[in-house]
Amino acid sequence: MELNPLTAVSSIDGRYANKTSELRQYYSEFALIKYRVRVEVAYFIALCKLPLPQLKGLDASKFLALERLVTDFSEADAQKIKDIEKITNHDVKAVEYYIKEAFEGFGLTEYQEFIHFGLTSQDINNTSIPLMMKECWQEVLAPRLNKVIDLLSADAEKWAQVPMLAKTHGQPASPTRLGKEIRVFASRLRKQLELLEQIPFGAKFGGATGNMNAHYVAYPYQDWHGFADAFVSKDLGLSRSFPTTQIEHYDCMAAQFDALKRINTILLDYSRDIWQYVSMNYFKQKIKDGEIGSSAMPHKVNPIDFENAEGNLGIANALFEHLSAKLPISRLQRDLTDSTVLRVIGVPMAHTLIALDSLIKGIGKLELNEAALRKDLQDNWAVVAEAIQTVLRREGYPKPYEALKSLTRTNQPITEDSIREFLQKLEVKEELRQELFAISPFNYTGK
């Protein structure tokens, strides 16, 4: 059976293939191979800029041809590397042999052995993967998250003056404003995004056991650690981890996954709240011609975008949890468990992307039903009891809390009339009574 969106095992490449296809240039097998070629070529060019006698004769004009190995890299080229891998049974060595073969075509055969010079495979993997992650974050995921934050901020501004009955423990509570409740989520997301962007994209580059052993034995006079620092930071735009074992320790990567998990948790919290508001009729949703909400109930317009987001955020977080817990642990100088786990990074990223796009779509469909909010406020005059007893406390009125408690903790509905009747009986100055009369669920919303 041929692989296509109908036959794919994963929904990422199946049902949601059109939503996640842009991630293929970062997290597919093709992408990983291309990034490995990119690092190998960049490393060779960096070596050529050192005073190594064996590389002095190389014409710098050849660098453009080498860089085209990356810019012109195709699926056919990736397949060539996979074919070499069938023989080598080693994925990074296959990349090395592919580039060496290309050197022959460029007339650079005498320089072939400086491809992958002194390196181990993890020097390539542990730079390629954080580079993939960084560029995917900057080019795909961060813009989507910022779009969600912008939409929330716009809604917060639009609904800033809309009073709303709050619910604590699911029960009516002191009123708030809808815009402020939405702003809570925008503020939380901004703070966590700020923390996430402080975490460097860590990369290991140090030879077989992290000490640049092979480099120093070949050229003892060269400052190889200084070279590695500069190559990783300036040429690749990453942050070199040092000291390390054979592999990156993944602490920064784990911190990124934990930060993404917190962001997703906030988005999940928002999705559930909006779902609840929709169920309370506070929001209606724009109707799209041809769409069906239920196969049996024609009247329904379901909050499916927020449900879809909630489900995908949950899957993403389960995987982020495993990644952040597993990757920093490796037996002695290295075991191979990180290798297979690293190949899964694209999965939670894809589910996060699906969720972000669902939220963007869902937020765009929300229409405020202000009448429902006003009705809830009108039906819950008991919530001004806090306001009344607080003002009475200010005035030294005896046991105001207890007085309001006896009024409100009954099985009888508390209405505007019953509140006014209670206030009318209070033995207070008329000026204070009028101040209390002015309090309503619609204006007792704080600042």
Side-chain angles (χ1 to χ4, degrees):
M1 187 178 292
E2 185 179 348
L3 178 63
N4 60 52
L6 285 175
T7 61
V9 172
S10 168
S11 62
I12 291 171
D13 297 312
R15 182 177 183 84
Y16 301 119
N18 64 327
K19 299 179 184 297
T20 61
S21 58
E22 61 190 303
L23 295 183
R24 294 173 189 168
Q25 62 182 309
Y26 306 100
Y27 288 115
S28 62
E29 181 76 358
F30 166 83
L32 178 56
I33 294 170
K34 181 177 179 180
Y35 273 87
R36 284 168 171 161
V37 172
R38 177 174 163 185
V39 172
E40 291 277 19
V41 168
Y43 171 63
F44 177 81
I45 292 174
L47 284 179
C48 291
K49 296 176 181 178
L50 290 176
L52 303 182
Q54 290 80 4
L55 292 174
K56 282 186 176 179
L58 192 144
D59 186 348
S61 65
K62 296 288 187 179
F63 292 168
L64 290 175
L66 295 177
E67 288 168 349
R68 282 199 294 273
L69 285 175
V70 180
T71 56
D72 297 344
F73 194 77
S74 66
E75 289 185 46
D77 295 321
Q79 187 58 56
K80 287 180 184 177
I81 294 173
K82 294 300 290 183
D83 291 341
I84 297 170
E85 185 184 341
K86 292 175 184 176
I87 301 168
T88 62
N89 197 30
H90 195 289
D91 47 8
V92 176
K93 202 67 177 175
V95 171
E96 177 188 342
Y97 286 168
Y98 167 80
I99 298 174
K100 284 182 174 179
E101 183 180 319
F103 267 40
E104 294 176 4
F106 296 149
L108 299 175
T109 305
E110 64 182 295
Y111 304 107
Q112 282 180 325
E113 293 308 319
F114 282 88
I115 291 295
H116 202 72
F117 178 79
L119 300 182
T120 187
S121 58
Q122 288 307 99
D123 294 315
I124 304 304
N125 290 330
N126 288 163
T127 46
S128 295
I129 292 172
L131 189 55
M132 292 159 56
M133 287 179 60
K134 179 181 180 181
E135 294 182 347
C136 180
W137 170 251
Q138 292 176 340
E139 296 166 12
V140 179
L141 289 169
R144 292 298 214 294
L145 178 58
N146 279 304
K147 175 68 172 176
V148 170
I149 294 173
D150 288 345
L151 289 172
L152 294 182
S153 298
D155 283 348
E157 185 67 28
K158 180 168 56 176
W159 299 324
Q161 301 306 317
V162 177
M164 181 182 79
L165 183 69
K167 295 286 182 73
T168 59
H169 308 281
Q171 307 301 308
S174 299
T176 183
R177 292 181 186 270
L178 175 59
K180 172 259 173 176
E181 299 306 315
I182 301 300
R183 192 176 301 281
V184 166
F185 291 104
S187 175
R188 291 172 68 191
L189 288 168
R190 282 198 192 93
K191 181 61 179 178
Q192 294 306 316
L193 179 57
E194 178 183 320
L195 292 174
L196 170 59
E197 292 187 337
Q198 291 175 18
I199 302 169
F201 286 85
K204 177 265 178 180
F205 198 83
T209 53
N211 310 318
M212 306 294 282
N213 303 37
H215 292 78
Y216 277 109
V217 78
Y219 299 98
Y221 56 85
Q222 181 67 43
D223 176 13
W224 286 111
H225 283 301
F227 166 83
D229 288 341
F231 172 67
V232 171
S233 63
K234 295 178 182 177
D235 293 13
L236 302 182
L238 303 172
S239 176
R240 184 182 180 227
S241 299
F242 182 80
T244 67
T245 61
Q246 187 181 93
I247 64 173
E248 163 67 21
H249 44 59
Y250 301 118
D251 294 335
C252 289
M253 194 178 290
Q256 289 166 338
F257 295 143
D258 284 336
L260 286 167
K261 191 177 69 172
R262 287 195 301 274
I263 287 170
N264 283 355
T265 297
I266 296 167
L267 294 171
L268 198 152
D269 191 23
Y270 167 79
S271 298
R272 289 181 177 177
D273 275 12
I274 295 297
W275 187 98
Q276 192 75 28
Y277 290 141
V278 171
S279 76
M280 292 158 60
N281 206 30
Y282 283 9
F283 290 114
K284 296 183 181 294
Q285 296 176 97
K286 295 175 184 175
I287 298 172
K288 185 177 180 181
D289 288 343
E291 282 193 355
I292 293 173
S294 167
S295 62
M297 295 170 278
H299 66 282
K300 294 186 73 180
V301 182
N302 298 327
I304 56 174
D305 298 307
F306 300 100
E307 294 169 339
N308 179 280
E310 181 181 341
N312 279 285
L313 290 166
I315 295 170
N317 277 6
L319 287 167
F320 283 141
E321 174 69 24
H322 177 68
L323 288 166
S324 66
K326 185 272 157 296
L327 283 172
I329 300 170
S330 183
R331 296 169 182 87
L332 304 181
Q333 281 65 57
R334 100 90 22 129
D335 63 35
L336 200 62
T337 54
D338 66 314
S339 180
T340 190
V341 172
L342 287 168
R343 293 176 181 273
V344 181
I345 293 173
V347 178
M349 297 297 184
H351 284 290
T352 299
L353 177 61
I354 294 167
L356 289 170
D357 281 345
S358 292
L359 286 172
I360 290 169
K361 182 180 178 183
I363 293 168
K365 289 162 62 174
L366 292 176
E367 292 185 333
L368 181 63
N369 182 13
E370 198 164 352
L373 278 77
R374 296 191 67 81
K375 183 178 186 304
D376 257 4
L377 289 165
Q378 185 63 40
D379 291 346
N380 286 278
W381 271 79
V383 297
V384 302
E386 179 194 39
I388 294 169
Q389 63 102 359
T390 303
V391 174
L392 292 176
R393 281 175 183 244
R394 182 195 72 193
E395 297 298 318
Y397 188 90
K399 296 185 176 180
Y401 178 88
E402 288 72 18
L404 270 296
K405 180 180 176 183
S406 64
L407 169 69
T408 58
R409 286 180 71 88
T410 69
N411 290 324
Q412 300 300 316
I414 306 301
T415 64
E416 181 179 5
D417 289 341
S418 61
I419 290 288
R420 294 184 71 86
E421 182 181 347
F422 170 82
L423 294 177
Q424 197 65 50
K425 293 177 180 178
L426 287 178
E427 295 182 3
V428 296
K429 294 179 180 179
E430 190 59 28
E431 182 182 355
L432 176 58
R433 194 187 322 277
Q434 293 304 316
E435 180 184 347
L436 295 172
F437 274 150
I439 300 171
S440 80
F442 303 95
N443 62 24
Y444 180 49
T445 57
K447 291 287 185 182

